[in-house]
Amino acid sequence: MQLKKLTSEALVSTKERFTSKEEIIKFLVKKLASEGKIHSEEEFYKAVMEREALSPTGFEGGLAIPHGKSSAVKEASFAVATLEKPISTWESVDPKNQVELVILLAIPKEEEGTTHLTLLSELVTRLSNEEYKNNLLHSRTNKELYDHLDLSLQSTNQKISQDRDKTVLAITACPAGIAHTYMAAEALVKAGNELGINVFVEKQGANGIEDRHTYELIKKADAIVLAVDVAVKDEERFKHLPKVKTSVASPLRNAKGILEQALQKIENKPKRGMVESEESVHEIEEKSIKTEVKDSLLTGISHIIPIIVAGGMTLAAAVFIAQAFGLQDLYAAEGSWLWLLRQLGGSLLGQIMIPILAAYMAYSIADKPALGPGFAAGVAANLIGSGFLGGMLGGLLAGYFLKYLKVKVKPKGTFAGFVSFWFYPVIGTLVVGSIMLFVIGKPLALLNQGLIDWLDGMSGANAIILGAILGAMVSFDLGGPINKAAYTFCIGAMASGNIVPYAAFASVKMVSAFSVTGATIIGKHLFSEQEKEIGKQTWLLGLAGITEGAIPFMIKDPLRVIPSLITGSAVTGAIVAYSNIGLNVPGAGIFSLALLQGKPAIVAAGIWFGAALIGAFISTNLLIMTRKQKIVKEIKIKASQQNVA
């Protein structure tokens, strides 16, 4: 990719002076506007700051890449600025990051899944090369920096050093497959140079596999590091190597320590001979069954989220059109365009969602051969009426059966292709499908029906307890594993016919964001300028049902913020569940108001949104109170230290 084609010398600035992140972004936005790259400075700046509220765009080594995807952008472009004095307040993956190189990406809304990913990954890959980054940082003029953008440099990850006796391979992969994937790769290579070992990294990112490890490199290697948050593609290639598995963020904090673990494994458990006469298969994972099941479930959920969003919004559109224009008869008339639209959304949720969940849970455990049996398990779950519960169990069954089958029947010789492309999917489907339909089908269906009956029968104190627990889980980690566990339960309940838990879930999703905005407005003297700026944005995210806007507050002071958010969220969940309000379309935020069920529309909307405001009021006051306590404590500690001195 030629970076110069997406910018110009007029969009490049060197050795500028700024005092805040907002000032830098406004400066670069103005540059883009003056060059005719955007329609509206105000609209694009808003899009950039909304993205800033979601997660850090600062990385390490002085780098920050803010970006905005907006219809205000005329054409994909970027502006660059180097700073004379580094900024230390920019939220970054590395808390010690001193930002001195800022690249602002402007992406048209329709190119957010294409140009955005390509440009961001290209920039991060290049900037991972210290020499390339330093050439930009040390440029004395705008023209010099512009000329350096497409300067070709030798990659640090291309050539084996003959005077190093150890070679460690690595794979980095994050859910988005963009920045963390590449920054983790660079951190590992840099640490390898410091330790005097060869490190080669394969990036499994948004653009697929990059810098794929060659056969010769795999044969020479002594160990493999998997710095990943998602399932690794073709992991069986490395089954003969000692393995260290960690999260994709770990190398950013301690890459040297991870490589030292790999060196220790080399000493304690040297690599085995590489099998050349057969296709690689998965060896039994060293991770615990508990971890494998959790990873499997999260992989399945990550793949059904687009289905849920697409199906839910399509169904919601059909319902809205029918109600807004009085087309209820057309909505119910079989074969009409509105009936077909309704069927499309309903089929995605009712027929497709569970097979996809089961298939990708199986894939997480036993890779591609498990996809066919996994889909079959999901279809069987639909046939027997075991719902979400059956889909999860079927996915695990398919995954572990195929994992066993791959160990017992290995693809080799003349029949290698037959085994991989016929035996595994056909035998797996027949066995797993038969078990689901004829062995565990009836008990599963009874269990699923029992769960439905239990949920349907919940009222009074039991409903309050369930709602409070769900509310607390939603705001405990703001989009993390516990939040996703609550989401999984609510989607499962909805798939089984009970729509109350999801209504509670959707209402609670607004609480944390509203609370942060409320606290920074009412108690503005207690919060920093950066926190107040975040607070200005989070209420909008809350209206869309996005909890992540409160993450910067949680990270800075988790012991006070988490209990504050949990308390208000638990109250909101309890109110909605007790009121028996339901929501049968996956979604969140203010957009759900017109789709609530269980009471007259205005009453349901008032209770549902009012519960979120009550919870937010409670959490807002707790955030202010705990912040005051923190400040008082800090003042006392400071005074005590001064007295001692």
Side-chain angles (χ1 to χ4, degrees):
M1 174 183 274
Q2 291 290 313
L3 294 180
K4 287 184 179 179
K5 292 181 179 179
L6 294 172
T7 189
S8 66
E9 192 175 327
L11 291 174
V12 174
S13 305
T14 54
K15 303 304 177 186
E16 298 285 349
R17 280 183 170 270
F18 300 104
T19 58
S20 69
K21 173 179 74 173
E22 292 73 19
E23 189 180 351
I24 300 170
I25 291 175
K26 285 179 180 177
F27 171 81
L28 294 176
V29 169
K30 190 174 289 293
K31 284 272 188 182
L32 289 164
S34 65
E35 288 300 297
K37 302 296 184 182
I38 56 178
H39 295 289
S40 165
E41 288 184 44
E42 183 180 350
E43 188 177 340
F44 180 62
Y45 176 74
K46 180 181 177 183
V48 175
M49 296 312 296
E50 285 177 355
R51 171 60 187 84
E52 287 296 306
L54 294 177
S55 61
T57 56
F59 296 103
E60 62 171 4
L63 175 64
I65 309 181
H67 44 283
K69 294 166 282 187
S70 170
S71 56
V73 180
K74 294 181 182 178
E75 59 178 298
S77 54
F78 65 91
V80 186
T82 60
L83 311 185
E84 188 170 304
K85 184 179 179 182
I87 297 287
S88 60
T89 55
W90 199 302
E91 301 91 339
S92 302
V93 173
D94 178 4
K96 299 178 182 178
N97 190 32
Q98 302 278 321
V99 172
E100 50 186 338
L101 173 61
V102 181
I103 302 176
L104 174 63
L105 310 187
I107 308 295
K109 190 68 176 175
E110 62 272 14
E111 297 181 34
E112 60 182 337
T114 53
T115 306
H116 173 225
L117 297 180
T118 303
L119 177 57
L120 187 54
S121 62
E122 180 71 19
L123 282 168
V124 173
T125 301
R126 294 193 188 194
L127 291 163
S128 294
N129 186 304
E130 284 293 321
E131 186 180 353
Y132 178 87
K133 184 175 69 176
N134 288 334
N135 281 338
L136 300 186
L137 281 171
H138 299 151
S139 297
R140 290 164 294 181
T141 65
N142 298 352
K143 184 179 186 308
E144 186 179 350
L145 194 155
Y146 178 72
D147 290 339
H148 282 152
L149 284 173
D150 287 317
L151 187 65
S152 178
L153 294 171
Q154 180 78 10
S155 171
T156 57
N157 199 24
Q158 287 182 337
K159 188 177 179 181
I160 297 179
S161 175
Q162 298 300 326
D163 59 351
R164 298 179 180 179
D165 63 347
K166 298 297 180 188
T167 296
V168 175
L169 305 184
I171 292 178
T172 58
C174 62
I178 311 173
H180 285 77
T181 297
Y182 297 93
M183 301 306 290
E186 170 59 17
L188 288 167
V189 172
K190 189 187 300 182
N193 290 333
E194 293 175 7
L195 291 172
I197 60 176
N198 288 305
V199 175
F200 297 86
V201 186
E202 176 181 299
K203 280 81 73 177
Q204 297 189 358
N207 292 325
I209 297 179
E210 298 177 53
D211 299 323
R212 188 182 182 94
H213 294 313
T214 64
Y215 172 82
E216 291 299 327
L217 194 55
I218 295 172
K219 189 174 181 180
K220 175 182 174 61
D222 298 293
I224 177 75
V225 171
L226 304 178
V228 297
D229 287 340
V230 295
V232 176
K233 299 172 184 173
D234 301 332
E235 187 180 347
E236 65 272 11
R237 292 173 289 162
F238 314 104
K239 70 172 195 173
H240 64 294
L241 297 175
K243 177 176 26 174
V244 173
K245 192 165 188 177
T246 185
S247 69
V248 72
S250 295
L252 301 179
R253 298 188 294 267
N254 187 23
K256 192 179 291 186
I258 292 168
L259 292 179
E260 286 171 346
Q261 287 182 46
L263 293 175
Q264 187 64 43
K265 286 213 169 189
I266 292 170
E267 295 298 322
N268 296 337
K269 185 184 176 183
K271 67 178 181 180
R272 301 176 315 208
M274 185 175 178
V275 179
E276 302 179 26
S277 60
E278 63 184 48
E279 290 187 13
S280 297
V281 295
H282 279 294
E283 73 171 344
I284 297 173
E285 297 284 354
E286 293 179 8
K287 61 184 177 181
S288 67
I289 294 293
K290 179 182 177 182
T291 301
E292 191 167 54
V293 169
K294 182 198 77 173
D295 290 349
S296 170
L297 182 57
L298 290 177
T299 300
I301 289 173
S302 71
H303 281 85
I304 66 170
I305 287 175
I307 306 300
I308 291 170
V309 173
M313 291 301 101
T314 302
L315 189 57
V319 173
F320 176 78
I321 292 170
Q323 293 180 350
F325 300 100
L327 300 175
Q328 285 84 352
D329 291 340
L330 189 66
Y331 180 82
E334 186 173 345
S336 69
W337 67 269
L338 194 53
W339 181 87
L340 289 172
L341 194 63
R342 165 193 169 190
Q343 293 301 310
L344 176 62
S347 296
L348 284 172
L349 295 174
Q351 298 176 24
I352 304 298
M353 180 180 71
I354 290 175
I356 287 178
L357 171 73
Y360 282 97
M361 286 182 66
Y363 169 79
S364 175
I365 296 169
D367 211 358
K368 290 181 182 178
L371 276 173
F375 275 113
V379 171
N382 283 341
L383 290 173
I384 60 180
S386 60
F388 204 79
L389 185 63
M392 290 192 294
L393 187 57
L396 294 174
L397 177 63
Y400 281 111
F401 178 72
L402 263 294
K403 189 174 183 179
Y404 168 80
L405 204 60
K406 288 168 68 179
V407 172
K408 294 299 180 182
V409 183
K410 298 179 179 179
K412 51 186 174 182
T414 306
F415 294 100
F418 172 80
V419 171
S420 296
F421 297 106
W422 192 92
F423 183 82
Y424 286 160
V426 172
I427 299 302
T429 296
L430 287 172
V431 171
V432 173
S434 297
I435 292 173
M436 288 290 293
L437 291 171
F438 308 122
V439 179
I440 62 176
K442 189 172 182 179
L444 268 180
L446 290 172
L447 183 60
N448 188 61
Q449 189 59 47
L451 177 61
I452 295 171
D453 293 341
W454 175 70
L455 287 171
D456 288 341
M458 291 198 79
S459 61
N462 289 334
I464 290 173
I465 292 170
L466 176 64
I469 292 172
L470 286 174
M473 292 175 70
V474 170
S475 295
F476 181 82
D477 54 2
L478 302 176
I482 294 175
N483 176 291
K484 285 184 173 61
Y487 177 75
T488 302
F489 175 82
C490 294
I491 288 294
M494 182 190 294
S496 299
N498 189 290
I499 58 177
V500 172
Y502 197 90
F505 176 85
S507 181
V508 171
K509 292 260 296 182
M510 297 184 283
V511 172
S512 58
F514 288 176
S515 303
V516 167
T517 296
T520 53
I521 291 175
I522 298 171
K524 57 185 178 181
H525 60 289
L526 301 171
F527 298 92
S528 67
E529 289 301 317
Q530 177 186 336
E531 289 172 325
K532 285 186 280 188
E533 191 63 38
I534 292 171
K536 292 176 184 177
Q537 312 291 329
T538 55
W539 71 275
L540 283 172
L541 298 176
L543 287 177
I546 298 172
T547 61
E548 283 80 358
I551 286 177
F553 281 73
M554 184 181 75
I555 291 175
K556 287 185 177 180
D557 194 11
L559 293 179
R560 294 178 177 85
V561 172
I562 292 175
S564 299
L565 296 181
I566 283 177
T567 304
S569 298
V571 171
T572 296
I575 292 172
V576 176
Y578 179 77
S579 302
N580 201 36
I581 294 170
L583 183 61
N584 66 347
V585 178
I590 203 70
F591 309 109
S592 302
L593 272 176
L595 305 171
L596 297 169
Q597 299 183 21
K599 294 188 183 301
I602 295 177
V603 175
I607 294 174
W608 184 82
F609 191 66
L613 294 178
I614 291 170
F617 176 78
I618 294 170
S619 291
T620 294
N621 283 282
L622 289 173
L623 286 172
I624 293 172
M625 183 180 71
T626 54
R627 178 56 65 98
K628 285 180 180 177
Q629 291 174 345
K630 180 184 179 182
I631 292 173
V632 169
K633 184 177 180 180
E634 288 174 347
I635 292 173
K636 287 181 179 178
I637 292 173
K638 190 174 181 180
S640 175
Q641 290 173 342
Q642 289 175 345
N643 291 335
V644 171

